[in-house]
Amino acid sequence: YGSYALPLEELLDHRFVVRAKGVGLSAIPPQWVRGEYFDGACDPSQFEHGCGLARLAQAVGARNRTNVAGFVLAAFLHDISQPAFAHIGEQRLRGYKPHARAAQMVLEPSLAALVRKAGAEPRAVAEAIRGEGPYGPLLSGALALDRFDGTLRYATRYGVFQKIPYDAPAIAGAVVSTL
């Protein structure tokens, strides 16, 4: 979606975020798809997905002329607790709710301090991750940016598109402004 800056680069070094770099968006861990056929670029990580979702959240804020630092952080952090093997892993861990767990993780002192430093309130970020509050439905509703990014990311990685065929941030901002 182009380049952008997260509200706080220190987040990139937090242990929860570092962990997300090694957890695949699909059931195939990113480190398992390196090789002859995929050259390591096939399965996006939860980290990459979080970065894409944060960019879409920024587009929503720009389109609607609102300060959405908390929403951008919620989008970036929403899948930091995703288990290995993604949704298949969730099914094996009966009762595990990754977004509820991610919301709890945001309230942990070390991460909450970084969220505050980035200009957002940790409880509001956690609320959005749980699908609550004004931005919650944008992360987990019927027209969720989460689904929008995931689908587009898979399609480009698995060869459906050679490049992104449309301006995803512009579309995300336009759709959200009609809700």
Side-chain angles (χ1 to χ4, degrees):
Y1 307 132
S3 62
Y4 64 98
L6 284 170
L8 183 67
E9 286 192 32
E10 289 176 60
L11 280 170
L12 300 178
D13 295 326
H14 192 279
R15 64 187 169 98
F16 296 151
V17 174
V18 170
R19 178 195 167 274
K21 293 178 182 179
V23 178
L25 188 58
S26 73
I28 305 169
Q31 56 271 36
W32 288 10
V33 294
R34 289 180 175 82
E36 182 179 349
Y37 300 106
F38 299 114
D39 75 5
C42 188
D43 189 42
S45 69
Q46 293 294 343
F47 171 80
E48 181 183 337
H49 171 57
C51 288
L53 204 54
R55 173 64 184 102
L56 295 179
Q58 285 180 330
V60 168
R63 174 76 180 219
N64 295 296
R65 295 185 180 95
T66 57
N67 179 0
V68 292
F71 179 45
V72 170
L73 289 170
F76 178 66
L77 298 169
H78 82 286
D79 274 343
I80 58 172
S81 72
Q82 193 65 256
F85 305 107
H87 297 297
I88 291 173
E90 287 176 41
Q91 292 170 3
R92 299 299 300 162
L93 299 168
R94 289 177 173 68
Y96 184 73
K97 307 279 189 221
H99 289 159
R101 177 64 186 126
Q104 291 173 338
M105 292 164 81
V106 165
L107 299 175
E108 258 192 38
S110 62
L111 189 53
L114 290 174
V115 167
R116 277 190 205 90
K117 190 173 180 181
E121 174 53 46
R123 291 203 183 283
V125 171
E127 180 180 77
I129 290 172
R130 286 191 307 267
E132 302 165 357
Y135 293 110
L138 300 178
L139 284 179
S140 62
L143 291 173
L145 297 177
D146 190 8
R147 290 179 182 84
F148 186 68
D149 177 76
T151 303
L152 183 58
R153 202 161 293 283
Y154 278 128
T156 54
R157 287 299 173 87
Y158 291 111
V160 176
F161 304 131
Q162 293 302 312
K163 63 178 190 161
I164 298 173
Y166 48 83
D167 185 346
I171 291 173
V175 168
V176 168
S177 68
T178 65
L179 299 178

